[in-house]
Amino acid sequence: MTEAAGRTKSGIIVDGLSVAFHLPKGDVRALDGVSAHFPDGEITGIIGESGCGKSVLGLAILGLLPSYASAEGTIMLEGQPLEPGTARRRLGRELGLIPQNPSESLNPSRTVKAHIQEALLPLKLSGKERRERARELLSAFGFPDPDPILRAYPHELSGGMQQRVLCAVGAACSPRWILADEPTKGLDKELRAQVQETLLSLRGQGVRSMVVITHDLLLARGLCRRIAVMYGGQILETGPRVLDHPLHPYSRAFLAALPENGFQSIPGTAPGAGERFSGCPFAPRCELAKARCRRERPAAYRPEPERVVRCFEYE
Amino acid sequence: MNNTVLEGRGLAKTFFGGFGGRKSRVFENVSIGLCSGETLGLMGPSGCGKSTLARILLLLVKPDKGDVFFQGRRVTGLRGKELLLFRRKVQFISQRPESFFDPRIRLGDSILEPLSFYGGRRKAEEGRERLKELLAQTKLTDELLVRYPHQVSGGEIQRLSLCRALLLKPEILILDEPTSMLDVSVQAQLLRILKELKAEHGLSYLFITHDREAAEFMCDRIQVL
Ligand SMILES: Nc1ncnc2c1ncn2[C@@H]1O[C@H](COP(=O)(O)OP(=O)(O)OP(=O)(O)O)[C@@H](O)[C@H]1O
Ligand SMILES: Nc1ncnc2c1ncn2[C@@H]1O[C@H](COP(=O)(O)OP(=O)(O)OP(=O)(O)O)[C@@H](O)[C@H]1O
Ligand code: SF4
Ligand SMILES: [Mg+2]
Ligand SMILES: [Mg+2]
């Protein structure tokens, strides 16, 4: 059926996942047949243009889509189907989330301490152990003096401080899987490096695997062995050396837009979530596009080991 | 300099009562001057007070000491009609763009609301046209306008907040980490658009960022806090 099936059963396997939001003014298709394998024991990065469906993919895996969304396809965790209800029950303890949006995720009327302590509940620690662990977490995420931070309310923290509190909350229980959505946004270089170090070090403490959604390509390079490139609600390329050696025309155009190449954006606009494609979603912007690309959807080709590319150039 | 359009002189700010009753001194005696037509970068480590300084310059937070000047006039403590006029001319892109949108109001209404507030119905009509252009320039579609803030992606709301600010044709724009939720390609597009708009309309920017490359691309000079 797809690239994911038939391979090792370990990890998270997403197969043919489509997600649509049903709004009064019409449907929004956010994911369009996503198939991917996030192997156990690895850190996989997801990169791609703003609005391409990265966060929705994360929410779908964790069973956190709103009620007006519908999903087709399957998600498997370690060989078992992962239903939204099961995923939500495992949230925190086995599946940790570092969400993208601090304002929606931190409760303005509760202190940082309350947030972290609640996150630690599943561990059934004593009061003293919990306080110790909370301090430990905050100092690991760049607060050398955690005590005043524990007493603070979210609005008393700067943007970068809130971001790091979110990281601490998501990692609190050392869940086996962590899904981090833009864990370094709004941080300076030193803190970005520290968050990267801390995420890496979590792997020695019970965290086995991560999915890291990021626009921070330095973080992606430093943290992730495998990268998935998303576009228009689909994954167009995955593999271990994507950042150094991109094969898909979209991946290549995306990486050519890196600041060191002079702030050149990819010409044209990414598809809106209302658009549907029978062919390749990148065709309207692709220099190599042929008539067939607009008609037919490229299958998953494997030009080299561990690499999957959805482009006819690799047929 | 005589063409300074927005200036803070000898600013000091301490928050009391936060952190469970502690006093937190953010800065003492900071001065900053934004010249007409320039892009001034503001950089510094997390928590050093960049956003607080921005809020003081926007008259959203009162400094303990010091004053804010707009086009040579002291504006600290400005009220009523004059404050409204100031608010229109000096616009802000917050580090947390979602906090600038009412979660119960459709994005399109939120974006156009200030325009009819300041300019009445005719302005609102013009605004609709201009908004279409801005959406295209920031690589968004107008299909987003009928949604609520939690129904768009992080980078989409960040760009919508920019559209909202630009629609009011401000003279000064304070941008607090305006591309923190954008990928490299959309970021490049957005920074280029900001440069074009500046050249076209003689805007001045205060550009707060952690991104050295973006700062160097955008800014005429950089102040470190
Ligand atoms: N609750 C929702 N209702 C309707 N549409 C939604 C909803 N959430 C997301 N979308 C749409 O689905 C698409 C994918 O959104 P998603 O948040 O996954 O993007 P993203 O890749 O995370 O982008 P960013 O990098 O900007 O955060 C976007 O076009 C967005 O507008
Ligand atoms: N309402 C408040 N009450 C108490 N302390 C506050 C309040 N607002 C901000 N602070 C403190 O003031 C300091 C400066 O915060 P500010 O948001 O200005 O930092 P920043 O330079 O913008 O940081 P970042 O790069 O992380 O966004 C921080 O230590 C913060 O905790
Ligand atoms: S399938 Fe065709 S349009 Fe799509 S990326 Fe490949 S060459 Fe370009
Ligand atoms: Mg997102
Ligand atoms: Mg800030």
Side-chain angles (χ1 to χ4, degrees):
Chain A
M1 199 177 155
T2 58
E3 65 251 39
R7 254 214 320 252
T8 161
K9 283 261 167 51
S10 80
I12 296 177
I13 295 175
V14 177
D15 198 2
L17 182 67
S18 295
V19 169
F21 296 100
H22 305 288
L23 300 181
K25 308 245 165 167
D27 288 0
V28 177
R29 293 187 57 91
L31 297 182
D32 187 2
V34 168
S35 295
H37 179 202
F38 303 108
D40 187 23
E42 276 192 25
I43 304 181
T44 306
I46 304 181
I47 62 173
E49 215 151 312
S50 167
C52 70
K54 304 178 296 296
S55 298
V56 170
L57 175 57
L59 293 178
I61 292 173
L62 297 176
L64 296 175
L65 292 173
S67 58
Y68 55 87
S70 63
E72 268 169 52
T74 57
I75 301 168
M76 306 279 278
L77 173 63
E78 277 129 30
Q80 301 290 321
L82 189 62
E83 302 289 340
T86 347
R88 280 198 300 274
R89 272 196 301 285
R90 292 181 173 193
L91 208 61
R93 175 81 225 225
E94 286 171 76
L95 301 166
L97 171 65
I98 299 174
Q100 185 173 19
N101 181 337
S103 313
E104 279 169 19
S105 317
L106 296 172
N107 182 334
S109 61
R110 305 183 68 208
T111 60
V112 170
K113 185 171 162 193
H115 283 93
I116 298 188
Q117 297 226 340
E118 182 185 300
L120 286 170
L121 277 182
L123 290 187
K124 306 213 171 24
L125 302 172
S126 72
K128 183 160 173 275
E129 286 168 332
R130 245 187 312 175
R131 278 193 297 280
E132 235 352 89
R133 175 80 182 135
R135 279 202 202 96
E136 237 175 67
L137 277 164
L138 287 180
S139 62
F141 282 103
F143 294 104
D145 182 12
D147 286 316
I149 304 301
L150 284 167
R151 290 195 295 271
Y153 288 90
H155 75 270
E156 295 166 351
L157 303 176
S158 78
M161 292 160 116
Q162 290 185 347
Q163 180 57 46
R164 287 174 286 140
V165 168
L166 285 182
C167 289
V169 169
C173 286
S174 302
R176 267 190 305 154
W177 281 86
I178 287 185
L179 193 145
D181 199 345
E182 302 290 354
T184 55
K185 69 170 168 308
L187 299 182
D188 55 55
K189 217 166 147 207
E190 288 73 30
L191 284 171
R192 272 159 56 189
Q194 179 159 9
V195 167
Q196 176 181 326
E197 273 312 300
T198 303
L199 289 175
L200 273 175
S201 72
L202 286 173
R203 294 225 294 167
Q205 308 168 21
V207 179
R208 288 185 48 83
S209 329
M210 289 184 218
V211 178
V212 180
I213 297 170
T214 191
H215 291 307
D216 178 352
L217 297 177
L218 273 178
L219 177 79
R221 192 183 290 272
L223 202 55
C224 308
R225 196 185 93 82
R226 184 183 300 266
I227 297 285
V229 183
M230 275 189 85
Y231 186 79
Q234 300 181 26
I235 291 181
L236 298 185
E237 176 165 15
T238 49
R241 287 168 53 241
V242 170
L243 292 175
D244 298 315
H245 180 50
L247 293 181
H248 196 286
Y250 173 68
S251 313
R252 280 195 247 131
F254 188 75
L255 293 168
L258 272 169
E260 56 258 40
N261 302 332
F263 289 92
Q264 296 296 338
S265 64
I266 307 170
T269 302
E275 292 173 57
R276 281 213 63 179
F277 294 91
S278 42
C280 169
F282 191 52
R285 297 168 88 181
C286 180
E287 285 174 359
L288 304 173
K290 305 185 182 57
R292 181 188 180 194
C293 303
R294 298 193 181 82
R295 257 191 343 258
E296 219 181 295
R297 183 167 296 188
Y301 303 109
R302 301 169 173 279
E304 48 184 66
E306 288 194 82
R307 180 81 63 124
V308 177
V309 185
R310 286 183 176 272
C311 167
F312 290 124
E313 296 288 306
Y314 298 92
E315 191 167 8
Chain B
M1 221 180 278
N2 54 1
N3 64 342
T4 308
V5 280
L6 188 65
E7 191 182 0
R9 267 187 228 158
L11 298 171
K13 183 72 198 171
T14 299
F15 287 102
F16 292 95
F19 300 90
R22 263 209 200 186
K23 190 163 92 161
S24 64
R25 175 176 299 142
V26 186
F27 44 70
E28 279 180 280
N29 197 17
V30 165
S31 295
I32 186 167
L34 176 65
C35 299
S36 172
E38 81 165 340
T39 301
L40 171 61
L42 181 60
M43 298 188 75
S46 174
C48 72
K50 302 177 296 296
S51 301
T52 304
L53 179 56
R55 288 175 179 277
I56 290 174
L57 293 174
L58 286 152
L59 309 180
L60 293 169
V61 165
K62 254 201 165 127
D64 302 331
K65 270 195 227 139
D67 279 302
V68 179
F69 296 83
F70 176 56
Q71 295 170 340
R73 262 187 67 205
R74 181 172 166 273
V75 289
T76 352
L78 206 64
R79 282 199 268 162
K81 238 190 167 147
E82 286 190 311
L83 180 60
L84 287 180
L85 195 64
F86 173 85
R87 286 268 145 84
R88 192 177 70 71
K89 289 186 175 163
V90 185
Q91 284 289 315
F92 183 37
I93 311 294
S94 165
Q95 190 170 13
R96 276 156 287 167
E98 68 282 358
S99 64
F100 261 54
F101 292 96
D102 186 329
R104 295 157 306 178
I105 298 180
R106 288 183 199 279
L107 288 160
D109 296 335
S110 278
I111 291 170
L112 289 165
E113 188 262 349
L115 210 65
S116 47
F117 176 80
Y118 286 112
R121 179 171 297 184
R122 203 175 54 83
K123 274 276 177 327
E125 271 316 308
E126 281 173 31
R128 246 172 250 282
E129 286 307 305
R130 174 90 182 102
L131 178 56
K132 280 213 183 102
E133 265 169 54
L134 284 170
L135 288 171
Q137 284 176 320
T138 51
K139 306 213 170 194
L140 295 170
T141 54
D142 51 9
E143 150 215 21
L144 299 181
L145 299 179
V146 298
R147 300 199 210 152
Y148 292 95
H150 64 275
Q151 296 177 326
V152 297
S153 84
E156 285 166 348
I157 196 134
Q158 197 160 38
R159 284 175 277 165
L160 287 167
S161 81
L162 180 68
C163 293
R164 179 182 200 238
L166 287 172
L167 207 53
L168 288 164
K169 303 211 169 121
E171 290 170 20
I172 296 173
L173 198 53
I174 298 186
L175 303 135
D176 196 351
E177 298 285 353
T179 61
S180 64
M181 288 190 276
L182 299 179
D183 62 273
V184 286
S185 169
V186 174
Q187 163 176 308
Q189 163 85 0
L190 202 111
L191 295 181
R192 286 183 178 275
I193 293 291
L194 283 170
K195 277 192 163 180
E196 273 174 42
L197 289 171
K198 189 181 105 164
E200 230 173 275
H201 302 288
L203 285 162
S204 317
Y205 297 142
L206 180 63
F207 189 79
I208 302 174
T209 186
H210 285 300
D211 185 339
R212 194 37 62 209
E213 279 155 333
E216 276 163 13
F217 179 68
M218 286 299 287
C219 302
D220 302 303
R221 62 197 172 98
I222 294 173
Q223 178 165 342
V224 178
L225 193 60

